[in-house]
């Protein structure tokens, strides 16, 4: 089952009933532009208030057209969209609770949403497909505008490389699907590394970077997030040629090289609970 939801079975699917009056979704707070439920599952409780600030800042940063697009199209079936900012926040807490972790969390959520809409467009047709493509492009371009606006252009190369790697992973997998060829372990591992590993690795690394971690700590967080991402991708896509537990354990071993703290323990518990929900 998909992450953090015991009532839904496919975190790739959004509600198909869209328009001016979309069907009510239990994960949406009525009247809010961005979907954030009034009560989150326990796994999110340590960072619940911080998550609300993140999405409040995300909404405030969007142009009116972007807000309308998200209000109309954002119909999540589970809590996966909270995972990128969640990893940013949990990773940053290891080093500092005083510094602003909200900005990198907003950055990673924009990457997630932009990529999500572009991937969903592949399952649609006609004007609806065009709308999802335009929304994905809009969110990705807004990320680069926000980097400029917040004077964080030093991150431009990182995000360009990240989005390029993710697109390579998804396009390579799609190429195999269209050819109806059976992938091997090497191909699958490469896809998942690019689709999920680099993304969640960057989420953890940025959380540490903005909290003031040093170069070694930054590298360890990135390695942990990469292993977590590959394990998550295995669970999400149901590839049984690879072991999610093996990658997750590797990530925990890397994380153990950081000095022990309650915040480090919270990150481990969070990752474990995500996979408990995945396996439920």
């Amino acid at each position: 089952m998909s992450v953090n939801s015991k009532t839904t079975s496919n975190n790739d699917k959004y509600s198909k009933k869209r328009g001016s009056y979309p069907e009510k979704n239990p994960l949406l707070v009525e009247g809010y532009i961005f979907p954030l439920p009034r009560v989150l599952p326990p796994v999110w409780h340590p960072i619940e208030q911080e998550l609300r600030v993140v999405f409040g800042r995300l909404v405030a940063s969007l142009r009116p057209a972007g807000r309308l697009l998200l209000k109309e199209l954002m119909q999540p079936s589970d809590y996966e969209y909270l995972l990128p900012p969640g990893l940013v926040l949990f990773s940053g807490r290891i080093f500092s609770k005083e510094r602003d972790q909200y900005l990198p969390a907003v950055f990673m959520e924009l990457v997630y949403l932009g990529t999500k809409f572009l991937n969903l467009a592949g399952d649609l047709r006609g004007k609806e497909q065009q709308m999802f493509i335009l929304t994905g492009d809009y969110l990705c371009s807004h990320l680069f505008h926000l980097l400029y606006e917040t004077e964080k252009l030093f991150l431009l190369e990182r995000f360009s490389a990240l989005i390029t790697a993710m697109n390579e992973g998804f396009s390579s997998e799609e190429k195999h699907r269209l050819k109806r060829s059976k992938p091997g372990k090497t191909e699958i591992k490469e896809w998942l590394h690019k689709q999920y590993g680099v993304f969640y690795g960057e989420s953890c690394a940025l959380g540490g970077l903005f909290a003031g971690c040093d170069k070694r700590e930054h590298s360890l967080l990135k390695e942990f997030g990469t292993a977590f991402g590959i394990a998550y991708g295995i669970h999400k896509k149901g590839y049984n040629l690879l072991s999610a537990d093996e990658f997750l354990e590797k990530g925990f071993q890397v994380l153990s090289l950081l000095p022990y703290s309650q915040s480090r323990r919270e990150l481990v518990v969070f990752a474990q609970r995500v996979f408990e929900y995945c396996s439920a």
Side-chain angles (χ1 to χ4, degrees):
M1 182 162 287
S2 57
V3 60
N4 300 329
S5 173
K6 295 186 179 181
T7 59
T8 58
S9 60
N10 189 341
N11 59 11
D12 284 330
K13 299 299 180 184
Y14 279 47
S15 170
K16 293 294 183 182
K17 295 184 178 181
R18 303 183 183 91
S20 299
Y21 303 96
E23 183 180 358
K24 285 190 176 181
N25 186 318
L27 296 185
L28 301 183
V29 177
E30 188 172 355
Y32 280 64
I33 293 173
F34 210 90
L36 201 63
R38 293 185 179 89
V39 179
L40 289 171
V43 65
W44 304 101
H45 286 179
I47 56 168
E48 180 171 353
Q49 294 308 311
E50 293 166 280
L51 280 172
R52 296 189 186 281
V53 174
V54 168
F55 285 100
R57 290 197 178 187
L58 173 56
V59 170
S61 74
L62 292 171
R63 296 171 184 259
R67 298 177 191 177
L68 289 174
L69 285 171
L70 284 180
K71 188 174 183 179
E72 181 175 354
L73 299 180
M74 191 69 181
Q75 296 286 322
S77 62
D78 61 27
Y79 297 98
E80 183 185 65
Y81 71 101
L82 298 181
L83 196 48
L87 284 172
V88 171
L89 295 171
F90 272 112
S91 298
R93 286 159 67 99
I94 295 176
F95 305 99
S96 172
K97 294 184 180 180
E98 303 299 327
R99 301 194 184 191
D100 186 354
Q101 294 298 297
Y102 304 127
L103 191 55
V106 170
F107 291 157
M108 295 310 299
E109 185 65 17
L110 283 169
V111 175
Y112 170 81
L113 290 174
T115 304
K116 184 77 170 182
F117 279 112
L118 290 171
N119 285 334
L120 286 171
D123 296 326
L124 305 173
R125 294 293 181 269
K127 292 183 178 180
E128 189 174 31
Q129 182 184 59
Q130 183 181 18
M131 178 62 74
F132 271 64
I133 292 173
L134 291 172
T135 301
D137 287 343
Y138 168 82
L139 292 168
C140 288
S141 64
H142 182 68
L143 166 67
F144 296 118
H145 172 74
L146 197 59
L147 290 172
Y148 168 77
E149 193 175 56
T150 57
E151 299 182 349
K152 298 295 184 291
L153 286 177
F154 68 93
L155 295 174
L156 185 59
E157 183 178 358
R158 292 177 69 140
F159 280 112
S160 297
L162 169 62
I163 294 172
T164 298
M166 292 175 71
N167 287 335
E168 286 177 351
F170 285 115
S171 61
S172 295
E173 184 182 30
E174 183 67 12
K175 181 180 178 181
H176 266 74
R177 188 187 69 82
L178 292 174
K179 288 184 175 181
R180 298 183 179 180
S181 58
K182 188 175 181 180
K185 291 177 64 174
T186 301
E187 289 87 359
I188 293 173
K189 182 179 178 181
E190 182 181 357
W191 297 342
L192 296 179
H193 178 267
K194 290 184 175 181
Q195 294 169 1
Y196 301 99
V198 294
F199 177 68
Y200 289 116
E202 193 63 44
S203 297
C204 294
L206 272 189
L209 179 66
F210 274 70
C213 71
D214 61 31
K215 187 175 181 180
R216 175 180 176 273
E217 293 164 338
H218 177 271
S219 178
L220 291 173
L221 277 177
K222 190 167 189 174
E223 190 174 348
F224 161 74
T226 300
F228 171 91
I230 295 173
Y232 178 74
I234 293 170
H235 260 295
K236 178 174 179 176
K237 299 215 166 180
Y239 287 125
N240 55 17
L241 292 179
L242 299 174
S243 169
D245 290 341
E246 181 181 330
F247 281 97
L248 191 60
E249 181 58 33
K250 177 183 177 182
F252 289 149
Q253 289 176 2
V254 170
L255 202 61
S256 70
L257 298 177
L258 293 172
Y260 178 80
S261 66
Q262 181 59 32
S263 295
R264 192 194 78 177
R265 175 61 183 163
E266 286 179 349
L267 176 56
V268 171
V269 171
F270 172 72
Q272 290 172 332
R273 288 181 176 175
V274 165
F275 279 87
E276 287 172 5
Y277 277 98
C278 285
S279 303

